[in-house]
Amino acid sequence: MLIKLFILSLACYIGESKNRNVLLIIADDAGFETEVYNNSVVHTPNLRALAQRSLVFSNAFTSVSSCSPSRSAILTGLPQHQNGMYGLHQGVHHFNSFDGVQSLPLLLGEANIHTGKSQSDLFIFELSNTHKNYFYVIFFSLIATGIIGKKHVGPGSVYPFDYAYTEENNSVLQVGRNITRIKLLVRKFFKTHKDEAFERRQKKEENKGDRDSIKDEERPFFLYVAFHDTHRCGHSQPQYGAFCEKFGNGEMGMGRIPDWTPEYYKPEQVKVPPFVPDTPTARADLAAQYTTVSRLDQGIGLVLQELRDAGYENDTLVIYSSDNGIPFPNGRTNLYHSGIAEPMLVSSPENRERWGDTSQAFVSLLDITPTILDWFSIPYPSYSLPGSPTDPVHLTGRSLLPALVKEPSSRHTVYGSQSLHEVTMYYPIRSVHQGAYHLLHNLHYRMPFPIDQDLYVSPTFQDLLNRTRLSQPTHWFKSLQQYYYRERWELYDTRSDPLETRNLASDPSLSAVLESLRQSLQKWQWETGDPWVCGPDYVLEAKLEPHCRPLYNGL
Amino acid sequence: MLIKLFILSLACYIGESKNRNVLLIIADDAGFETEVYNNSVVHTPNLRALAQRSLVFSNAFTSVSSCSPSRSAILTGLPQHQNGMYGLHQGVHHFNSFDGVQSLPLLLGEANIHTGKSQSDLFIFELSNTHKNYFYVIFFSLIATGIIGKKHVGPGSVYPFDYAYTEENNSVLQVGRNITRIKLLVRKFFKTHKDEAFERRQKKEENKGDRDSIKDEERPFFLYVAFHDTHRCGHSQPQYGAFCEKFGNGEMGMGRIPDWTPEYYKPEQVKVPPFVPDTPTARADLAAQYTTVSRLDQGIGLVLQELRDAGYENDTLVIYSSDNGIPFPNGRTNLYHSGIAEPMLVSSPENRERWGDTSQAFVSLLDITPTILDWFSIPYPSYSLPGSPTDPVHLTGRSLLPALVKEPSSRHTVYGSQSLHEVTMYYPIRSVHQGAYHLLHNLHYRMPFPIDQDLYVSPTFQDLLNRTRLSQPTHWFKSLQQYYYRERWELYDTRSDPLETRNLASDPSLSAVLESLRQSLQKWQWETGDPWVCGPDYVLEAKLEPHCRPLYNGL
């Protein structure tokens, strides 16, 4: 009886959700170097075509400008300080999310949304003809989950994918930049997916009694394709160029990616973002990055073609974004606009009203998990985490699906939270971006802002260091001294000052704005169980009612 | 044939090592409040008795003044920056050692030292009569490992104990402070150990052919008893007093520990360490701590009595120490002498020459792992870790066993390395203590020294804050302002200035000393794969030959 109830509820579930899949494409360190965002130089026909079937967000932001923390936030809907991934996952850094975190692949894999049963009930039970006295238990998840490319989060138990080709079992260049390999892995994912449904149908037809109880054998899927482009690689694989722009380009010793037609740009052609020094060195760096944009764009084209060929185009929500700002000064590892603004395309075959439109709504990568759960009609999870052991976690992001129908009127606030990148790069920042105003709180403002190894060795940064050392013009909008030593509070009017050059935190006419933003930020920190909520002047007393107690009174 | 070789080699091994066990007793936050170190007030007859059978080290130091990092260093022989346990293990901090670390329980559990085989060969194979065509594989370790009390390290796979009663499966108060419970758990460990040997003997006697191939059925053991006394508990269990000094004292609501006779001290009696403010509040705090010293001391007495009753006293190396400085200002979380000096007793039944003697040798808690490996004749491990992926780890600590025979002439250098405590308490310090001189490098010297939650709420610290706020005499040897804001480099002559009040780092007459110590420290950091080796002015370039590249040139 109980088993029948399961089958019935699962049938209902699969019935409702059939033909609803998700393809999430995340680029690595990619910015606005695409035709979609009016870069007229770089050639990205595939992203342009996707944009024509998407709502294009022009105010999308990551909550954290660092790879592993951002990917953990994308896959959990929780900021880094709440999910525990305070910095990079690999090597000596070895940050991880808390064991109890319920990530997207975990929630989708175990989703048993309509029965509301505990996790031990989350599997499909089938009666087997060959073992009449036993239930034959098939352990497979209700929504098939796959990852191809850069994973960079852990522990494995928190981020379980059914199908995984990542740096954990492959070369990251092969699964993250070799777009032919990626194409074939996507193809294999779809084939495996269909084969499994076919096998299940065959099994069901042997077992006639249950023939009509499951309407469709094919499970929904969530496929996460995480390109490694346009990340730098001069630090780890210098033989392929600063951005691995030579990897697979067909030149001697570079190998050849059959599906990639590299596109080359001259340094004088590139459009230098206003926050990057406009020097020949930076232009050469950007030109190399553009070449990798061509690989990313053509890779996206291949993945979308596989989706079409497999017949899923009209069933699949496609989301494209990136993890953090571009790896240039003032970009990645910063919570300035230039470090957190992200490309974001959301393409729903069910909502074509706004295809090709641009939304001004403020959205966050923290919205990706709620959006995908919403798409699958899965309720948001409620559970406890170490930061707030007595309070259940609730997702502070929101589904983007309503925006696909109608421009939202009330979305104008996003939050940021960064703690570390490399383990030696402790520089906690919390921020709130509300309408025109962007407030940043640099908790360790007395120490210089840290520079990551990958950026440090880049031609652009080395050139900036050398020019500074030699007192030559840097062609940068700030000095390294300003970049290293920041005010504790930074307040910018991003409409009149998009580059965030004039700190208005001590402007008396904005004291009410400042205070209101500080309160919003503090409220969000409490809501999300931020261990840094009392820093740097107060000590968190975590007992019973957590509160901040003053540390430096009288000093 | 291969199997016979195994049995032979194992027999040799067990033959050599039989009757050699280790009992490691670690107290929590305990200092020199014992008769052993000439505290004439506090009554510690059991530690005194142990000292009479021990070499007493008067210059023993922890390499890190924080609980989880110190316990990881004790159990791995690697400083926190090398084993990956950069801060506390529990809750939001969730630091862990690297997955590949070979800890003491792992090395002892898998020791197959005389064959030098790979780990897959590390188990005893026995021919079974009942399954004639199969080998019967018994998966049990060569040295039995047990832990009772506070574990506070992870991941579990790196610190596997055969027998474990810790905060992971019990109340830490019960396994760490209830000395009757601890006594019974020690008794149970010994009984289980003997029962297992008895069962093995019975099994062997059935299998007559192998009767003489294993001389003794009883395995050596490594038992780690980690008391939770004398840690504060006002922060987590205020109902039992500031130090849990009331827990189990028989008063209403406090329960009763049958084996504990609490001893009480008046505030005016206590001997205030010179680095603690001499105020009525601090004296009351210390008096409460003394009461928990009586529980610790009586607990140690019970554990040693169990050892005697089980017949192991003459086979067992006993080591007593603590993890870090006492939880008072200038103590725990500091690398000052007051934060790192530890009690250390080493009692070997095989080396009675120096029983009751005091050694002036500089020794480190990093020496505990080499000492125990030496005792069991197990070679030091060689393997790679993320901090130095191309170099094998080598233990920088040394066995203390030679000192039990003869005072060493050359031991006068120890190193310190602290990175965090709570995850919000980033304050990396590296230090070297060589003869009279103690050099500290505060990498984040521009930020105030952070205060942990546990210390913050303590009566002593609150009193210090209030006195500072009200401009009253603090009766402390430094001001809070000095305590918070430190020089980047601190150099002390600990002979003429044991309290470390006069920073000689800028004394021109000591510039050669300073430079020599800096070089020693830097060398040790490179040797131990320290990710912070280039901080704060340089960026580590980890490619090929790792080296530091300047960050702030010209600024």
Side-chain angles (χ1 to χ4, degrees):
Chain A
M1 182 58 207
L2 199 60
I3 299 302
K4 279 195 178 169
L5 195 70
F6 278 150
I7 293 173
L8 195 65
S9 65
L10 289 165
C12 291
Y13 165 61
I14 292 178
E16 280 178 22
S17 295
K18 81 167 183 165
N19 300 332
R20 276 200 149 193
N21 308 303
V22 170
L23 171 63
L24 173 63
I25 301 173
I26 298 292
D28 202 355
D29 290 359
F32 296 91
E33 286 65 33
T34 69
E35 292 176 43
V36 177
Y37 288 95
N38 298 324
N39 184 315
S40 51
V41 178
V42 67
H43 189 217
T44 57
N46 296 289
L47 276 167
R48 189 184 60 221
L50 177 60
Q52 284 160 359
R53 297 170 49 93
S54 298
L55 180 62
V56 176
F57 289 91
S58 59
N59 286 304
F61 302 96
T62 181
S63 65
V64 54
S65 195
S66 172
C67 185
S68 301
S70 181
R71 283 155 202 268
S72 74
I74 289 169
L75 292 177
T76 65
L78 308 176
Q80 55 85 21
H81 63 247
Q82 190 172 25
N83 77 56
M85 180 81 67
Y86 307 132
L88 296 177
H89 177 60
Q90 86 280 9
V92 295
H93 320 297
H94 81 136
F95 287 99
N96 278 292
S97 290
F98 298 123
D99 285 336
V101 166
Q102 295 188 16
S103 73
L104 205 45
L106 200 70
L107 289 165
L108 299 182
E110 295 190 339
N112 191 20
I113 52 168
H114 293 276
T115 62
K117 295 282 171 190
S118 69
Q119 293 198 6
S120 58
D121 298 328
L122 295 177
F123 302 102
I124 290 182
F125 290 73
E126 288 190 1
L127 283 165
S128 162
N129 282 331
T130 51
H131 300 281
K132 293 216 167 142
N133 296 319
Y134 299 93
F135 295 120
Y136 185 52
V137 182
I138 298 183
F139 288 88
F140 77 137
S141 60
L142 290 187
I143 297 174
T145 58
I147 178 170
I148 297 164
K150 182 168 168 180
K151 189 175 181 189
H152 216 194
V153 292
S157 58
V158 168
Y159 298 99
F161 286 88
D162 302 333
Y163 176 97
Y165 289 83
T166 71
E167 75 277 12
E168 291 176 356
N169 54 11
N170 278 273
S171 145
V172 71
L173 294 182
Q174 291 299 333
V175 296
R177 302 201 203 247
N178 179 345
I179 59 176
T180 298
R181 182 91 199 281
I182 293 167
K183 173 189 80 175
L184 295 174
L185 288 172
V186 170
R187 189 176 295 171
K188 184 175 168 189
F189 174 78
F190 292 144
K191 182 173 184 309
T192 307
H193 192 65
K194 287 172 190 286
D195 285 352
E196 180 218 68
F198 181 74
E199 277 175 34
R200 200 164 332 112
R201 176 166 300 130
Q202 282 194 314
K203 198 171 282 166
K204 195 186 64 174
E205 284 177 359
E206 285 170 20
N207 180 13
K208 308 272 181 188
D210 280 329
R211 178 169 238 161
D212 299 322
S213 65
I214 295 178
K215 291 180 189 165
D216 191 343
E217 298 307 331
E218 204 165 285
R219 294 185 286 161
F221 67 78
F222 165 60
L223 178 61
Y224 173 31
V225 179
F227 286 94
H228 195 23
D229 285 316
T230 60
H231 196 287
R232 284 186 192 277
C233 86
H235 175 56
S236 49
Q237 292 100 1
Q239 66 274 27
Y240 296 123
F243 281 89
C244 271
E245 69 276 9
K246 298 176 188 170
F247 173 72
N249 73 354
E251 288 176 17
M252 178 84 81
M254 297 300 154
R256 174 145 178 70
I257 299 171
D259 288 294
W260 181 35
T261 308
E263 303 196 37
Y264 298 101
Y265 299 85
K266 296 200 179 89
E268 54 272 27
Q269 271 182 289
V270 304
K271 198 171 158 185
V272 180
F275 59 89
V276 173
D278 192 349
T279 58
T281 306
R283 285 180 164 270
D285 233 7
L286 285 161
Q289 193 200 27
Y290 277 25
T291 297
T292 68
V293 171
S294 79
R295 192 166 51 206
L296 169 67
D297 182 74
Q298 292 170 36
I300 290 170
L302 294 169
V303 170
L304 294 175
Q305 187 59 46
E306 292 299 317
L307 191 78
R308 265 191 295 279
D309 292 349
Y312 295 123
E313 188 180 40
N314 291 322
D315 306 329
T316 303
L317 181 74
V318 179
I319 301 176
Y320 167 74
S321 190
S322 178
D323 54 351
N324 47 245
I326 63 174
F328 284 85
N330 228 59
R332 187 183 62 198
T333 76
N334 284 277
L335 293 192
Y336 294 129
H337 185 278
S338 45
I340 59 171
E342 300 300 336
M344 170 89 92
L345 311 181
V346 180
S347 171
S348 163
E350 296 182 15
N351 303 96
R352 305 183 181 212
E353 303 89 318
R354 302 192 69 197
W355 275 14
D357 268 13
T358 295
S359 172
Q360 303 300 327
F362 277 37
V363 300
S364 167
L365 300 194
L366 292 173
D367 298 331
I368 290 178
T369 282
T371 300
I372 293 174
L373 292 176
D374 187 13
W375 176 257
F376 285 123
S377 302
I378 297 177
Y380 298 167
S382 175
Y383 57 101
S384 292
L385 281 180
S388 306
T390 54
D391 299 321
V393 160
H394 74 274
L395 302 181
T396 55
R398 287 181 289 174
S399 172
L400 300 176
L401 298 184
L404 304 184
V405 181
K406 184 169 172 288
E407 179 74 358
S409 56
S410 65
R411 296 199 64 149
H412 55 82
T413 306
V414 289
Y415 296 94
S417 169
Q418 176 114 5
S419 295
L420 301 98
H421 178 69
E422 299 170 12
V423 71
T424 53
M425 288 173 60
Y426 187 87
Y427 199 85
I429 317 173
R430 298 296 180 266
S431 68
V432 51
H433 197 161
Q434 193 167 82
Y437 292 106
H438 193 193
L439 178 72
L440 297 99
H441 185 197
N442 299 308
L443 276 72
H444 261 228
Y445 62 103
R446 292 173 192 267
M447 286 302 295
F449 183 80
I451 307 299
D452 63 275
Q453 295 181 30
D454 183 69
L455 175 66
Y456 180 85
V457 300
S458 72
T460 297
F461 193 79
Q462 284 297 311
D463 184 50
L464 185 56
L465 265 183
N466 285 333
R467 287 170 178 269
T468 303
R469 192 177 294 135
L470 300 170
S471 303
Q472 292 175 351
T474 63
H475 304 286
W476 200 31
F477 77 109
K478 58 172 72 171
S479 70
L480 272 179
Q481 179 74 25
Q482 290 169 312
Y483 189 63
Y484 293 153
Y485 292 97
R486 303 180 180 189
E487 302 285 328
R488 175 168 171 185
W489 294 96
E490 296 181 78
L491 177 65
Y492 299 105
D493 180 340
T494 60
R495 294 210 181 127
S496 65
D497 177 26
L499 256 185
E500 302 177 330
T501 59
R502 292 184 301 279
N503 182 4
L504 306 173
S506 54
D507 183 336
S509 72
L510 291 174
S511 64
V513 169
L514 179 70
E515 191 48 37
S516 156
L517 289 172
R518 276 160 84 151
Q519 284 180 16
S520 293
L521 183 54
Q522 185 90 170
K523 184 163 171 285
W524 179 72
Q525 289 185 264
W526 282 114
E527 277 177 11
T528 54
D530 187 354
W532 282 264
V533 65
C534 301
D537 294 341
Y538 293 78
V539 168
L540 175 63
E541 193 167 335
K543 193 84 197 121
L544 297 171
E545 282 290 302
H547 62 287
C548 298
R549 292 183 59 178
L551 191 48
Y552 300 118
N553 271 24
L555 295 185
Chain B
M1 181 59 207
L2 199 61
I3 299 302
K4 280 194 179 167
L5 195 71
F6 278 150
I7 293 174
L8 195 66
S9 65
L10 289 165
C12 292
Y13 164 62
I14 292 178
E16 280 176 23
S17 295
K18 79 165 184 165
N19 300 332
R20 276 201 148 191
N21 307 303
V22 170
L23 171 63
L24 173 63
I25 301 174
I26 298 292
D28 202 355
D29 290 358
F32 297 90
E33 286 65 35
T34 70
E35 294 177 41
V36 176
Y37 288 95
N38 298 324
N39 184 316
S40 51
V41 178
V42 68
H43 188 215
T44 57
N46 296 290
L47 276 168
R48 188 184 61 222
L50 178 60
Q52 284 160 358
R53 298 171 49 92
S54 298
L55 181 61
V56 177
F57 289 91
S58 59
N59 287 304
F61 302 95
T62 180
S63 65
V64 54
S65 195
S66 172
C67 185
S68 300
S70 180
R71 283 154 202 269
S72 74
I74 289 170
L75 292 176
T76 66
L78 308 176
Q80 55 85 22
H81 63 246
Q82 190 173 25
N83 78 56
M85 181 81 69
Y86 307 132
L88 297 176
H89 178 59
Q90 85 280 11
V92 295
H93 320 297
H94 82 135
F95 287 98
N96 278 292
S97 290
F98 297 123
D99 285 335
V101 166
Q102 294 187 18
S103 74
L104 205 46
L106 200 70
L107 289 165
L108 299 182
E110 296 189 339
N112 191 21
I113 52 167
H114 292 277
T115 61
K117 294 283 171 188
S118 68
Q119 293 197 7
S120 58
D121 298 330
L122 297 176
F123 302 103
I124 290 181
F125 289 72
E126 291 189 0
L127 284 166
S128 162
N129 283 331
T130 52
H131 300 280
K132 294 217 165 142
N133 297 318
Y134 297 94
F135 295 121
Y136 184 51
V137 182
I138 298 183
F139 288 89
F140 77 132
S141 60
L142 290 187
I143 297 175
T145 58
I147 177 171
I148 297 164
K150 181 168 168 179
K151 188 174 182 189
H152 215 194
V153 291
S157 58
V158 168
Y159 299 99
F161 286 88
D162 302 333
Y163 176 95
Y165 288 83
T166 71
E167 75 277 11
E168 291 176 358
N169 54 11
N170 278 272
S171 145
V172 71
L173 294 182
Q174 291 299 333
V175 295
R177 302 202 204 244
N178 179 345
I179 59 175
T180 298
R181 182 90 200 280
I182 293 167
K183 173 190 80 176
L184 295 174
L185 288 172
V186 171
R187 189 176 295 171
K188 185 175 169 189
F189 174 78
F190 291 145
K191 182 173 183 309
T192 307
H193 191 64
K194 287 172 190 287
D195 285 352
E196 181 217 69
F198 182 74
E199 276 174 36
R200 199 160 335 110
R201 176 166 299 131
Q202 282 195 314
K203 198 171 282 168
K204 196 185 66 176
E205 284 175 358
E206 283 169 22
N207 180 12
K208 310 271 182 188
D210 280 329
R211 179 169 237 160
D212 299 321
S213 64
I214 295 177
K215 291 178 188 167
D216 191 341
E217 297 309 330
E218 205 165 282
R219 294 186 285 162
F221 67 77
F222 165 60
L223 177 60
Y224 172 32
V225 179
F227 287 93
H228 195 23
D229 285 315
T230 63
H231 196 287
R232 286 186 191 278
C233 86
H235 175 57
S236 49
Q237 293 100 2
Q239 67 274 25
Y240 297 123
F243 280 90
C244 271
E245 69 277 9
K246 299 176 188 170
F247 173 72
N249 73 354
E251 287 175 18
M252 178 84 81
M254 297 301 154
R256 176 148 175 68
I257 298 172
D259 288 294
W260 181 34
T261 307
E263 303 195 36
Y264 298 101
Y265 299 85
K266 295 201 179 88
E268 54 271 28
Q269 271 183 288
V270 305
K271 196 170 159 188
V272 181
F275 60 89
V276 173
D278 191 349
T279 58
T281 306
R283 284 180 166 270
D285 233 7
L286 285 161
Q289 193 201 26
Y290 277 25
T291 298
T292 68
V293 171
S294 79
R295 192 166 51 207
L296 169 67
D297 181 74
Q298 292 169 37
I300 289 171
L302 294 170
V303 170
L304 294 175
Q305 187 59 46
E306 291 300 318
L307 191 78
R308 265 191 295 279
D309 292 349
Y312 295 123
E313 189 180 42
N314 291 323
D315 307 330
T316 304
L317 181 75
V318 179
I319 301 175
Y320 168 73
S321 190
S322 179
D323 55 350
N324 47 245
I326 62 174
F328 284 84
N330 227 60
R332 187 182 62 199
T333 75
N334 285 277
L335 293 192
Y336 294 129
H337 185 278
S338 46
I340 58 171
E342 300 299 336
M344 170 89 92
L345 311 182
V346 180
S347 172
S348 163
E350 297 182 14
N351 303 96
R352 305 183 180 212
E353 303 90 317
R354 302 193 68 197
W355 276 14
D357 268 12
T358 295
S359 171
Q360 303 300 326
F362 276 37
V363 300
S364 166
L365 300 194
L366 292 173
D367 299 331
I368 290 178
T369 282
T371 301
I372 294 174
L373 292 176
D374 188 14
W375 176 256
F376 286 123
S377 301
I378 297 177
Y380 298 166
S382 175
Y383 57 102
S384 291
L385 282 180
S388 305
T390 54
D391 299 322
V393 160
H394 74 275
L395 302 181
T396 55
R398 286 181 289 174
S399 171
L400 300 176
L401 299 184
L404 304 184
V405 180
K406 183 168 173 290
E407 180 74 358
S409 57
S410 65
R411 296 200 64 149
H412 55 82
T413 306
V414 289
Y415 295 94
S417 169
Q418 176 114 6
S419 295
L420 302 97
H421 178 70
E422 299 171 12
V423 72
T424 53
M425 288 173 60
Y426 186 89
Y427 198 86
I429 317 174
R430 298 296 180 267
S431 68
V432 51
H433 197 162
Q434 193 167 81
Y437 293 106
H438 194 191
L439 177 72
L440 297 99
H441 185 197
N442 300 307
L443 277 71
H444 261 227
Y445 62 104
R446 292 172 190 269
M447 286 302 294
F449 183 79
I451 307 299
D452 63 275
Q453 295 181 30
D454 184 69
L455 176 66
Y456 180 85
V457 301
S458 72
T460 298
F461 193 79
Q462 283 297 311
D463 184 49
L464 185 55
L465 264 184
N466 285 333
R467 287 171 178 269
T468 302
R469 193 177 295 136
L470 300 169
S471 301
Q472 291 174 351
T474 62
H475 304 287
W476 199 32
F477 77 110
K478 57 172 73 171
S479 70
L480 273 179
Q481 179 74 26
Q482 290 170 313
Y483 189 62
Y484 293 152
Y485 291 98
R486 304 181 179 189
E487 302 286 327
R488 174 169 172 183
W489 294 96
E490 296 181 78
L491 176 65
Y492 299 105
D493 180 340
T494 60
R495 296 210 179 126
S496 65
D497 177 26
L499 256 184
E500 302 177 332
T501 59
R502 292 185 299 280
N503 183 4
L504 306 173
S506 55
D507 183 336
S509 73
L510 291 173
S511 64
V513 169
L514 179 71
E515 191 47 37
S516 157
L517 289 172
R518 277 160 82 151
Q519 284 181 16
S520 293
L521 183 55
Q522 184 90 171
K523 184 163 170 286
W524 180 71
Q525 289 185 264
W526 281 115
E527 276 177 12
T528 52
D530 187 353
W532 281 265
V533 66
C534 301
D537 294 341
Y538 293 78
V539 168
L540 175 63
E541 192 167 335
K543 194 84 200 119
L544 299 169
E545 282 291 302
H547 62 288
C548 298
R549 290 183 60 179
L551 193 47
Y552 300 118
N553 271 25
L555 294 184

